[in-house]
Amino acid sequence: MKALYCQQNSSGEEMTFIFQERENLPPTGDHDVKVQVRACALSWIDTKLLSEVKLEKELLPVGREISGVVLEVGRKVSFFQPDDEVAVHKPEKVCWVEAAATVRDGVRAYTALHYLSQVSPGKSVLVMDGASPFGTIVIQLAQHRGAKVISTAYSLEDKQYLERLRPAVARVIDVSNGKIDVAESCLEETGGLGVDIVVDAGVKLYSAEDESASKSQLLPHKHDIITLLGVGGNWITTERNLQLDPPDSHSLFLKGATVSFLNEEIWNLSNIEQGKYLCILEDIMEKLSSGIFRPQLDEPIPLYEAKVSMEIVQKNQTRKRQVIQF
């Protein structure tokens, strides 16, 4: 069996990706499920997080979001049977590629909108970088729950993509030229009340002189997000190094607003959360089957191109979800 692994020899060193052959697979344990993989999505590997939770290995298999056919189950497995089509249980209408591609972004969207905040009809949601694979699913889930969605676009192509979405996004804010004030646009769209939920794609922590021109042009400053938050608002951030100064905290206090950190790996860090996790995965497949989720996909990749594609993914140089098809 041929598989792709990431290799990081020392701390801080750029990782490399290699193919390795494994001739003999371990026997199926009592609680194991053996799957013939039909599609595998490629996602950025957070080596720092893996190190912090003591899961770092010299060779780490690439690709955790898969779909395929069950070949064999252990003696104590009752949820699956041989020949089942799975991501969790994959609906017949959902193709292998879409099933694998939507798992991670779907879990992140549910975590942001249903567990770190409570999206509901009539609420306003700002999705930063809505044309990304993750942003697309967040928009679709928020709209399905009856929320009013505002999104930022990082290029003309992104803006055109967002304007074609149906149901339509309430407002697309084009930040590609660095001249549009996101906070002002959001306050204008909400009649000065501010946004109920913000899902960011990173924030600017320092002044423009301290950061690259391209990054400072695209990312909002943390003060902008605090300004555009409404009373009782929820800011869902992907910025692990977010620093809030006392004036920032005071502004959030006056609004009764909250800041939550989006880390979808929490579902795998505690056994007590497994029931909720399975419910999320099943709901993701159901929404794919009904057409509510329409992932932002690139053309499927053959296995021999996986190494090059994974290098691009790890450098965050792709705008669509990359999926290997077998």
Side-chain angles (χ1 to χ4, degrees):
M1 182 186 73
K2 192 174 186 179
L4 183 65
Y5 294 84
C6 74
Q7 183 176 38
Q8 189 173 24
N9 298 321
S10 60
S11 179
E13 183 179 334
E14 185 174 343
M15 67 175 60
T16 57
F17 297 94
I18 59 172
F19 283 113
Q20 280 202 352
E21 295 278 356
R22 291 188 63 182
E23 294 184 1
N24 298 316
L25 293 175
T28 304
D30 287 348
H31 298 92
D32 294 341
V33 178
K34 185 182 289 185
V35 177
Q36 180 183 17
V37 177
R38 295 293 182 86
C40 174
L42 300 178
S43 297
W44 182 77
I45 298 172
D46 190 341
T47 54
K48 184 175 181 180
L49 177 64
L50 291 173
S51 176
E52 289 171 345
V53 298
K54 311 301 182 186
L55 292 176
E56 195 174 34
K57 299 179 181 178
E58 183 180 347
L59 286 177
L60 186 73
V62 169
R64 297 164 54 198
E65 304 101 54
I66 66 165
S67 60
V69 179
V70 175
L71 296 177
E72 186 181 349
V73 299
R75 289 188 307 112
K76 296 184 179 179
V77 174
S78 58
F79 197 65
F80 297 107
Q81 300 296 327
D83 298 324
D84 282 352
E85 296 185 354
V86 296
V88 187
H89 276 293
K90 184 183 77 66
E92 187 176 344
K93 290 170 60 177
V94 177
C95 72
W96 303 112
V97 170
E98 287 188 344
T102 314
V103 169
R104 182 170 185 264
D105 294 324
V107 169
R108 297 184 78 209
Y110 267 81
T111 304
L113 296 183
H114 286 294
Y115 292 92
L116 300 180
S117 64
Q118 299 293 323
V119 68
S120 59
K123 285 197 172 182
S124 54
V125 180
L126 171 62
V127 182
M128 310 300 292
D129 192 16
S132 67
F134 170 56
T136 296
I137 297 298
V138 175
I139 288 172
Q140 291 164 358
L141 180 59
Q143 288 179 328
H144 177 66
R145 297 302 186 199
K148 174 183 179 179
V149 177
I150 305 167
S151 180
T152 59
Y154 285 1
S155 67
L156 177 59
E157 183 179 4
D158 287 353
K159 181 175 183 287
Q160 292 171 342
Y161 168 78
L162 291 167
E163 289 174 341
R164 291 195 300 267
L165 289 178
R166 294 294 179 270
V169 174
R171 184 164 184 167
V172 178
I173 305 170
D174 185 359
V175 298
S176 60
N177 59 15
K179 297 179 181 179
I180 302 297
D181 189 316
V182 175
E184 183 180 311
S185 299
C186 289
L187 290 171
E188 180 182 304
E189 185 63 35
T190 58
L193 297 176
V195 173
D196 296 308
I197 300 170
V198 177
V199 182
D200 74 30
V203 295
K204 193 190 306 179
L205 299 176
Y206 312 107
S207 62
E209 303 86 59
D210 299 326
E211 301 192 72
S212 66
S214 59
K215 186 173 182 180
S216 64
Q217 186 182 48
L218 300 179
L219 295 179
H221 198 283
K222 58 184 178 180
H223 301 314
D224 295 332
I225 294 183
I226 293 172
T227 299
L228 63 84
L229 266 180
V231 172
N234 302 110
W235 174 12
I236 315 302
T237 184
T238 59
E239 180 53 67
R240 70 176 65 193
N241 296 317
L242 180 67
Q243 300 174 32
L244 296 178
D245 301 319
D248 301 329
S249 298
H250 186 64
S251 295
L252 290 168
F253 167 77
L254 291 175
K255 294 185 177 188
T258 63
V259 179
S260 301
F261 292 87
L262 179 56
N263 175 15
E264 70 279 8
E265 300 298 343
I266 57 172
W267 300 109
N268 292 310
L269 297 179
S270 172
N271 291 334
I272 201 172
E273 302 291 350
Q274 292 303 299
K276 293 179 184 177
Y277 187 45
L278 287 173
C279 287
I280 291 172
L281 293 172
E282 289 175 351
D283 209 35
I284 290 169
M285 291 300 114
E286 186 276 327
K287 285 181 170 49
L288 265 177
S289 179
S290 61
I292 294 168
F293 284 167
R294 302 173 303 282
Q296 174 80 300
L297 294 175
D298 215 335
E299 290 296 319
I301 304 162
L303 180 60
Y304 64 84
E305 293 182 3
K307 180 178 179 294
V308 173
S309 296
M310 189 60 213
E311 289 170 349
I312 295 172
V313 169
Q314 194 63 25
K315 293 175 182 176
N316 289 318
Q317 293 177 345
T318 179
R319 293 294 293 161
K320 295 182 179 181
R321 180 62 64 208
Q322 306 293 303
V323 182
I324 304 168
Q325 187 170 30
F326 297 89

